[in-house]
Amino acid sequence: MEAVTQGADVFFVLMGAILVFFMHSGFAFLEVGTVRHKNQVNALVKILVDFAVSTLAYFFIGYWVAYGVDFLVGADVLTGAGQAEGYGFAKSGYDLVKFFFLLTFAAAIPAIISGGIAERAKFWPQLIATAVIVAVVYPLFEGMVWNGNFGFQDWMEAAFGAGFHDFAGSIVVHGVGGWIALGAVLMLGVRKGRYRKDGSPLGIPPSNIPFLALGSWILCVGWFGFNVMSAQSLEGVSGLVAMNSLMAMVGGILAALVVGRNDPGFVHNGALAGLVAVCAGSDVMHPLGSLAVGGVAGGLFVLLFNQCQNKWKIDDVLGVWPLHGICGLWGGIAAGIFGQQALGGLGGVSFTAQLVGSLIGIIFAAVAGFAIYGVLKATLGIRLSEEEEFNGADLSIHQISANPESDFGGRGY
């Protein structure tokens, strides 16, 4: 029975890893459907290559920073069959699929950033940023929250009566990704032609609503692996997490529908806003609380997206700061509200701990974002030239468009 249990846990976490890996195609198509046609190839290539760079950065450095574990031993030790001093890997390769699962979370950070900096960012400097973020920046905070590094959780519990609760990453993943992205977006500046001389915005509509919708659907499906399988074992899995994720998604959709006045881009991103917000407390909130959390997130996204684009002149192409940064912040705080037993939750959370932990996370991420992209801007440069931006990232970086045959007038070649 022990072997069966171990094998079942390996399979369970592996399926979670595959679902979250699948989400990266959702990030890609969400960006493809939003950016202009001349930047669609770049969106696809960028997110796939970002995942590859993230894998190496997390394998060699990031996972060790977060959990103090490396994989530089024999395969027999990695699968739990052999022994090595200082290494204690579980049988059946459980720790290997756990790495895969947590890697997909880490790689979501550059995938989030990608949507904000679309259409004008250089390719190779962004890969350098990805390597630094996934090797060092993200794992530092991940380890503090999910491994108790630097005594962070002990301090939180001593100071506020409970640790910082972030079950599936409203702050650790989404908040961190969104606030790093804010620094990147501001360092890059606005796209050429985004605003008229008088400062009024020039609308740039999504290039392909079906692709945008496809990206949202893929992310929604994968998110149930993101949230539910954060239990990381069959013994710990809870249907409450699935129900709460569903209700928050629905709340986000309906709120974005109303506040966004039927706009399809807002509706499909509203689903994601709700899912971002519910991650932190999805294991402790009541489904009605999750519905409220998702509804607030959907409305917040629409209002702040419009505020950023039209009032503050922050050219965040996919709205990743409002979606992941702000809705992630709301989710971290909301876990301390709707997780309370007085509001139907399971308890064991502290509002003050959630507020302080969430603020620490976003401040850490914002400082890191401005630092990383500020250094890259001052050294290598992070923005395409005006001519390259006009021609589009597809031709400027990859020398091919999304529909190459059309470049030849539809003729065979």
Side-chain angles (χ1 to χ4, degrees), residues 48-413:
L48 185 62
V49 177
D50 269 340
F51 189 89
V53 172
S54 296
T55 300
L56 295 184
Y58 202 60
F59 180 85
F60 286 107
I61 303 173
Y63 198 72
W64 175 81
V65 171
Y67 302 103
V69 175
D70 68 68
F71 302 99
L72 304 181
V73 291
D76 60 333
V77 177
L78 293 177
T79 57
Q83 298 294 324
E85 186 175 351
Y87 291 86
F89 288 95
K91 292 182 179 180
S92 303
Y94 172 82
D95 292 293
L96 306 185
V97 293
K98 180 181 176 181
F99 163 81
F100 183 15
F101 182 66
L102 292 173
L103 160 68
T104 59
F105 282 52
I109 304 293
I112 289 168
I113 296 168
S114 175
I117 63 176
E119 300 201 324
R120 77 271 203 205
K122 285 185 175 180
F123 186 67
W124 288 101
Q126 173 55 24
L127 293 183
I128 294 172
T130 292
V132 173
I133 290 165
V134 178
V136 180
V137 175
Y138 168 75
L140 278 173
F141 190 68
E142 174 193 17
M144 289 167 58
V145 176
W146 287 342
N147 199 46
N149 294 354
F150 309 114
F152 177 72
Q153 291 290 20
D154 292 336
W155 170 73
M156 293 289 291
E157 191 164 347
F160 308 112
F164 176 57
H165 188 87
D166 191 0
F167 180 70
S170 285
I171 296 294
V172 175
V173 179
H174 301 286
V176 168
W179 285 83
I180 291 176
L182 176 64
V185 168
L186 293 178
M187 287 289 106
L188 269 172
V190 303
R191 289 168 288 175
K192 297 296 182 185
R194 180 64 181 89
Y195 300 97
R196 299 181 178 90
K197 291 182 180 180
D198 63 1
S200 61
L202 180 65
I204 301 177
S207 62
N208 192 310
I209 294 295
F211 275 164
L212 185 157
L214 175 63
S216 175
W217 274 101
I218 291 172
L219 285 165
C220 288
V221 171
W223 222 295
F224 287 88
F226 196 99
N227 285 1
V228 176
M229 292 173 174
S230 284
Q232 297 184 25
S233 71
L234 280 174
E235 184 180 2
V237 71
S238 171
L240 181 65
V241 178
M243 175 65 83
N244 284 339
S245 301
L246 177 66
M247 296 299 280
M249 180 187 74
V250 169
I253 292 169
L254 295 178
L257 174 71
V258 174
V259 180
R261 300 179 180 181
N262 306 329
D263 182 282
F266 286 143
V267 170
H268 286 91
N269 277 285
L272 309 182
L275 286 163
V276 165
V278 81
C279 287
S282 57
D283 62 328
V284 295
M285 294 190 293
H286 189 277
L288 290 178
S290 297
L291 179 65
V293 169
V296 171
L300 267 178
F301 169 71
V302 175
L303 294 173
L304 278 169
F305 181 89
N306 287 330
Q307 184 73 16
C308 288
Q309 299 287 340
N310 300 332
K311 302 295 184 182
W312 296 337
K313 307 296 187 294
I314 299 175
D315 191 13
D316 180 351
V317 180
L318 268 67
V320 298
W321 178 60
L323 179 63
H324 298 274
I326 297 299
C327 293
L329 174 60
W330 159 240
I333 296 171
I337 301 172
F338 293 95
Q340 302 288 345
Q341 288 182 325
L343 292 177
L346 296 180
V349 293
S350 160
F351 171 76
T352 310
Q354 292 306 115
L355 177 63
V356 172
S358 297
L359 292 175
I360 289 173
I362 67 167
I363 291 170
F364 168 78
V367 170
F370 280 101
I372 292 167
Y373 286 93
V375 169
L376 286 171
K377 182 177 181 179
T379 53
L380 300 177
I382 56 176
R383 181 161 182 156
L384 296 173
S385 69
E386 189 169 342
E387 181 181 0
E388 289 172 330
E389 185 178 341
F390 177 81
N391 291 333
D394 294 357
L395 293 177
S396 298
I397 297 173
H398 308 289
Q399 290 80 54
I400 194 167
S401 70
N403 301 99
E405 191 171 359
S406 66
D407 296 339
F408 293 83
R411 299 188 302 272
Y413 58 92

